[in-house]
Amino acid sequence: MDCEQVIQLISAELDGEIPPDDRPALEAHLAGCESCRATTQALRLQDATLRRTFAPRREAAIAVADRVIAQLRPADPVVAARFPWMPVLLSAAAGFLLAVLVFRPWLRPTAPLTRVTDDPPGQEQPQKIAHTDPDAQRGERPEGAPRETPKKEPAPESVPPGPQKPLTQLVFAKGVIEMLPPGSDSWRALATGGNVEPGTRVRTDSIGRCEFRTPDGSEVRLNGNTELVFHTNRQLELAQGQVWSNVAEDEDPYEIQVPSADAKVTALGTQFDLACTALATVLTVAQGTTRVEGKAGEEIVQFGEQAKIVGGAIAERHRIHDLVVATSWIHEILVLKGHDNEELAKRMDDMLAQIGNAKMSFMYEKEILQLGDHCVLPLTRFIQSEQSKGDKQKRANAARILAKIARPWSVEDLIKLLADDDREVRFHAAKALERLTDGQTQGLSAEEWRDAAADARTATLERWRVWWGDNKDQFPTPPFSIIPIVKDKPDESIAPRRTKS
Amino acid sequence: MSDGDLVRQALAGRAGAYEELVRRWAARITAVCHAKVGRGGVAEDMAQETLLRGLRSLRSLEEPDKFGAWLYGIALRTCKDWLKAKERSQVTFSDLGPDRDPDKILYGQPRPDEPELDREDERRWLMTEVESLPEEFRVVLMLFYYQELKYRDIAQILGVSAATVNARLTKARAMLRERLSSCER
């Protein structure tokens, strides 16, 4: 193999495209050819520089997509999430005079809510999805076969006019989301930002996932192939499918009727998952307690329990130890909510708590790796938090995973982690920096960060800070902004508190 | 879900289907436009126009599974229109002075979010060199670095083989090395 042929292989190898059969020939040639080795090194450096050069262009392309989508759907909060908006002041960490500004774009006040139709209630001209039969398209029912007549909701009782009550709103969605308003006989598409009034039936298609937010702040998430009725904002009915509820405290009880199981589940301040299929209804309680009422009376199902409900009674009940995996279907929705997401951070904490158990570790780490860069901030914050310092192993695992998934916009945070007291955290931070900065070490290898003397570490950390000051323009900005306002220990890692919504 | 499935869903009225296509293709189309017009800021405008034209004429796409190649064609035509309009524009001698850049007169000052075209740093220098590569090499390079696409994906967009993509990327890199090292001398 001559050098000209090898250069193409070097290029392919750089791009992760070298055929496995060609690798031995490439390595054999490089072992004996100094010129090609020098070319390899030069191409690696050039590749790293090109990646940095194009980083702003990649961000610009994302902004192009956002602008196009904004023209398609101006009120979509997912689009609004890309544009930094209001800074939110976080509470100061104990012992630090520290305030952090976090841009939390998904808290941006939404534009005036859009409705699918602007006709007054009762005079709506439904946008019939006449030529799109989702069930037929999915192959679940022959084209033209009669659809089961949807239940018509009774006309609302006449009530004295009063101030308009706030409505439940669709806030995040993936896939087809449809609604059937009360008194209507045609399903219509429901756009993100749209409201559902009491008595509305909603449904998702097979790949749909979505989240509704009720006026009291509860979050109701639907999995695929789910049909749910919002009788009121806190009285729901699950016809089929799976729904997750984050229930906010309120005077009115939060209840989900499950006709197929002859039961009703009432939340007593909680998070729970309810899956209703033809065979059984399964209730999983992730926080707090719930009450199940049916023909057989009432029973309480508590945090960490999973109960199968049949014929109005609990037929089976057991403890569930892998709550995160059992309810991992909501991760797609959490990802839609943006990077700085407290619920995702809590899930990260739970998954990290499971890692270390040999039987489960691969599963949780896999979940985290699948969430990709959405986990970078939660992992970083976990490592930076005071509370994590009580669990050395967990911190080390978090640092190990962070090193695998850290992105170029994590570089500044990783440099701060070099000052950590834990040798493993320093090691993994240095490894990640080496990967993200095309081999920069500032004189101390990742391995050396474990056991080097304090003086050597301090000096190297200072070189990293100087390097960052000279090079930060070459790195993309994070998809969120964290600006320390006041610190009483300027050289320490920042340990921001998680936000409270 | 394939591009073809998303196109069919978009045509069926599913909200969000075209948005997914936009997210999937924005970087590739911006890369192609950048390669065509040679200016990052203009490329963004061309890409935006391309994606919107794609939505407006989606019903004319006969084979939904060939969405990518079809959109690529729209991008090329959009850029060609711009290049023709640029040729027709004239800048008078009286507008020019020793410090006046004809492109700035034609297109105004750079947008605040436009890459720092006025700063002499390595990134700008390298991008200028990339933009001045012959078109068949720069489009492959840009498609690769805008989105780190696989060779087969680049090949599908351009209608060539993966081996050709490899060869052109290799050549593009070699040309850049040659140009940058001759600048340093």
Side-chain angles (χ1 to χ4, degrees):
Chain A
M1 190 175 276
D2 63 30
C3 293
E4 202 174 309
Q5 290 170 302
V6 163
I7 286 179
Q8 289 215 17
L9 285 182
I10 293 171
S11 203
E13 202 269 341
L14 203 59
D15 301 334
E17 298 262 6
I18 184 170
D21 292 346
D22 288 339
R23 189 178 288 279
L26 171 64
E27 286 170 1
H29 181 96
L30 289 177
C33 180
E34 192 179 335
S35 167
C36 283
R37 286 202 299 277
T39 300
T40 302
Q41 185 59 17
L43 283 177
R44 283 208 178 113
L45 283 171
Q46 183 193 72
D47 177 68
T49 308
L50 279 166
R51 285 173 197 275
R52 283 198 299 273
T53 300
F54 274 85
R57 301 308 311 150
R58 288 194 286 276
E59 295 298 318
I62 292 172
V64 166
D66 289 342
R67 287 198 292 276
V68 171
I69 289 170
Q71 293 189 50
L72 302 179
R73 271 207 269 188
D76 188 338
V78 174
V79 173
R82 292 255 181 217
F83 297 92
W85 193 242
M86 300 284 289
V88 174
L89 206 64
L90 301 180
S91 57
F96 285 88
L97 290 177
L98 175 74
V100 177
L101 274 176
V102 174
F103 291 98
R104 299 199 43 198
W106 64 93
L107 290 183
R108 178 185 183 186
T110 54
L113 299 175
T114 58
R115 292 170 65 95
V116 174
T117 170
D118 285 327
D119 294 334
Q123 295 176 29
E124 285 134 344
Q125 301 300 316
Q127 295 175 14
K128 287 192 180 183
I129 314 174
H131 302 294
T132 62
D133 185 336
D135 285 345
Q137 284 191 338
R138 289 192 292 261
E140 290 169 10
R141 188 166 51 78
E143 181 87 50
R147 171 186 274 285
E148 185 184 316
T149 307
K151 260 199 301 193
K152 281 195 188 182
E153 296 300 331
E157 293 174 11
S158 71
V159 293
Q164 187 86 12
K165 273 195 173 174
L167 299 172
T168 294
Q169 186 186 18
L170 177 64
V171 290
F172 296 104
K174 172 183 177 286
V176 181
I177 317 297
E178 294 175 306
M179 63 183 261
L180 186 71
S184 174
D185 59 5
S186 294
W187 289 88
R188 64 182 77 170
L190 177 59
T192 310
N195 287 336
V196 292
E197 57 190 32
T200 300
R201 188 176 284 261
V202 297
R203 70 183 181 189
T204 55
D205 69 355
S206 56
I207 60 159
R209 304 273 190 282
C210 67
E211 178 176 299
F212 289 87
R213 193 160 301 146
T214 66
D216 58 76
S218 299
E219 295 166 339
V220 182
R221 295 177 189 146
L222 277 63
N223 205 343
N225 285 327
T226 296
E227 192 168 312
L228 183 77
V229 185
F230 285 95
H231 288 297
T232 68
N233 291 328
R234 285 176 72 89
Q235 291 177 317
L236 284 57
E237 178 184 323
L238 180 61
Q240 70 170 53
Q242 188 168 21
V243 62
W244 166 279
S245 303
N246 273 351
V247 181
E249 283 188 31
D250 195 87
E251 286 174 4
D252 295 332
Y254 181 94
E255 299 169 347
I256 303 186
Q257 293 272 2
V258 190
S260 62
D262 277 331
K264 179 173 77 174
V265 177
T266 303
L268 305 174
T270 190
Q271 287 179 344
F272 67 96
D273 184 279
L274 196 55
C276 170
T277 66
L279 297 175
T281 295
V282 178
L283 168 65
T284 306
V285 182
Q287 189 182 82
T289 56
T290 57
R291 181 173 63 234
V292 177
E293 296 167 63
K295 291 177 187 168
E298 290 182 6
E299 287 189 69
I300 298 293
V301 181
Q302 296 185 3
F303 158 68
E305 289 190 315
Q306 192 173 69
K308 190 188 281 187
I309 307 170
V310 178
I314 293 178
E316 282 174 37
R317 181 203 293 253
H318 59 267
R319 296 282 316 166
I320 186 158
H321 296 288
D322 53 354
L323 273 170
V324 171
V325 172
T327 56
S328 64
W329 67 269
I330 69 168
H331 292 175
E332 281 189 77
I333 299 172
L334 294 180
V335 160
L336 286 176
K337 294 177 79 160
H339 283 79
D340 193 9
N341 180 319
E342 187 172 346
E343 190 175 345
L344 186 58
K346 173 70 173 61
R347 287 203 151 226
M348 291 297 312
D349 202 9
D350 293 342
M351 283 195 266
L352 289 168
Q354 295 293 343
I355 288 174
N357 176 333
K359 186 174 170 188
M360 300 302 289
S361 62
F362 81 94
M363 193 183 288
Y364 289 96
E365 184 160 336
K366 182 170 150 258
E367 289 286 326
I368 294 172
L369 292 174
Q370 277 177 352
L371 287 166
D373 71 343
H374 290 267
C375 288
V376 171
L377 181 60
L379 279 172
T380 307
R381 287 198 168 171
F382 170 77
I383 296 166
Q384 290 170 333
S385 68
E386 281 302 312
Q387 69 197 55
S388 76
K389 289 182 179 169
D391 191 331
K392 202 171 148 67
Q393 185 58 49
K394 198 158 130 181
R395 278 185 99 233
N397 282 327
R400 180 174 56 74
I401 297 171
L402 178 62
K404 288 185 190 177
I405 60 173
R407 306 291 292 157
W409 42 260
S410 318
V411 166
E412 189 174 9
D413 276 323
L414 289 166
I415 292 174
K416 289 174 188 159
L417 287 178
L418 293 175
D420 200 271
D421 293 333
D422 188 305
R423 62 198 289 274
E424 291 304 309
V425 171
R426 295 195 301 266
F427 164 69
H428 289 298
K431 261 184 73 171
L433 282 168
E434 217 171 314
R435 172 172 67 80
L436 294 169
T437 63
D438 185 38
Q440 291 284 337
T441 63
Q442 304 303 329
L444 214 58
S445 71
E447 191 56 53
E448 285 168 335
W449 272 98
R450 280 183 161 127
D451 296 313
D455 289 350
R457 297 202 314 261
T458 303
T460 310
L461 181 57
E462 187 50 34
R463 286 197 290 276
W464 267 111
R465 288 187 179 129
V466 169
W467 176 90
W468 177 244
D470 292 339
N471 289 279
K472 62 184 174 188
D473 287 346
Q474 296 182 29
F475 288 82
T477 53
F480 44 85
S481 294
I482 302 176
I483 305 168
I485 296 177
V486 177
K487 317 178 267 188
D488 63 354
K489 292 186 184 180
D491 292 329
E492 298 279 16
S493 296
I494 294 171
R497 280 285 186 199
R498 289 183 183 155
T499 64
K500 291 188 189 299
S501 53
Chain B
M1 191 177 294
S2 70
D3 289 347
D5 290 336
L6 285 170
V7 168
R8 282 182 277 272
Q9 288 196 3
L11 290 170
R14 184 206 130 192
Y18 196 74
E19 288 178 23
E20 288 190 41
L21 285 166
V22 167
R23 291 233 179 265
R24 203 178 274 191
W25 280 90
R28 300 172 211 197
I29 294 301
T30 308
V32 161
C33 292
H34 194 165
K36 260 308 192 191
V37 303
R39 291 169 60 100
V42 174
E44 293 168 42
D45 293 336
M46 295 298 104
Q48 186 173 328
E49 179 62 23
T50 298
L51 290 161
L52 290 169
R53 283 189 190 183
L55 174 64
R56 287 195 290 268
S57 52
L58 198 62
R59 293 203 178 275
S60 69
L61 172 56
E62 289 173 1
E63 293 178 79
D65 293 307
K66 294 195 176 163
F67 174 80
W70 174 80
L71 197 66
Y72 175 61
I74 295 178
L76 294 183
R77 287 191 292 279
T78 305
C79 293
K80 200 170 156 188
D81 293 343
W82 181 84
L83 286 165
K84 273 194 185 158
K86 185 179 170 217
E87 275 172 20
R88 285 197 293 269
S89 303
Q90 293 180 0
V91 176
T92 63
F93 281 106
S94 59
D95 286 332
L96 289 172
D99 300 320
R100 302 296 295 274
D101 179 343
D103 276 350
K104 281 192 186 168
I105 294 168
L106 282 171
Y107 306 112
Q109 294 300 312
R111 291 199 300 264
D113 57 347
E114 201 169 354
E116 305 90 351
L117 293 178
D118 297 331
R119 279 206 252 156
E120 291 294 324
D121 58 11
E122 185 193 37
R123 190 158 45 90
R124 157 77 171 131
W125 186 33
L126 183 56
M127 185 60 79
T128 305
E129 292 298 333
V130 169
E131 287 167 350
S132 62
L133 288 172
E135 186 176 324
E136 66 175 311
F137 302 115
R138 73 171 181 259
V139 71
V140 168
L141 197 86
M142 289 201 177
L143 276 167
F144 182 79
Y145 283 105
Y146 256 90
Q147 208 175 359
E148 294 182 21
L149 291 177
K150 293 284 179 201
Y151 285 1
R152 64 170 181 270
D153 294 326
I154 299 174
Q156 199 174 29
I157 293 169
L158 299 178
V160 300
S161 68
T164 302
V165 171
N166 180 11
R168 289 185 187 174
L169 258 177
T170 305
K171 180 76 178 161
R173 286 168 170 150
M175 291 173 78
L176 277 178
R177 276 185 69 205
E178 175 62 31
R179 290 185 184 195
L180 292 172
S181 60
S182 70
C183 288
E184 282 165 4
R185 283 196 285 271

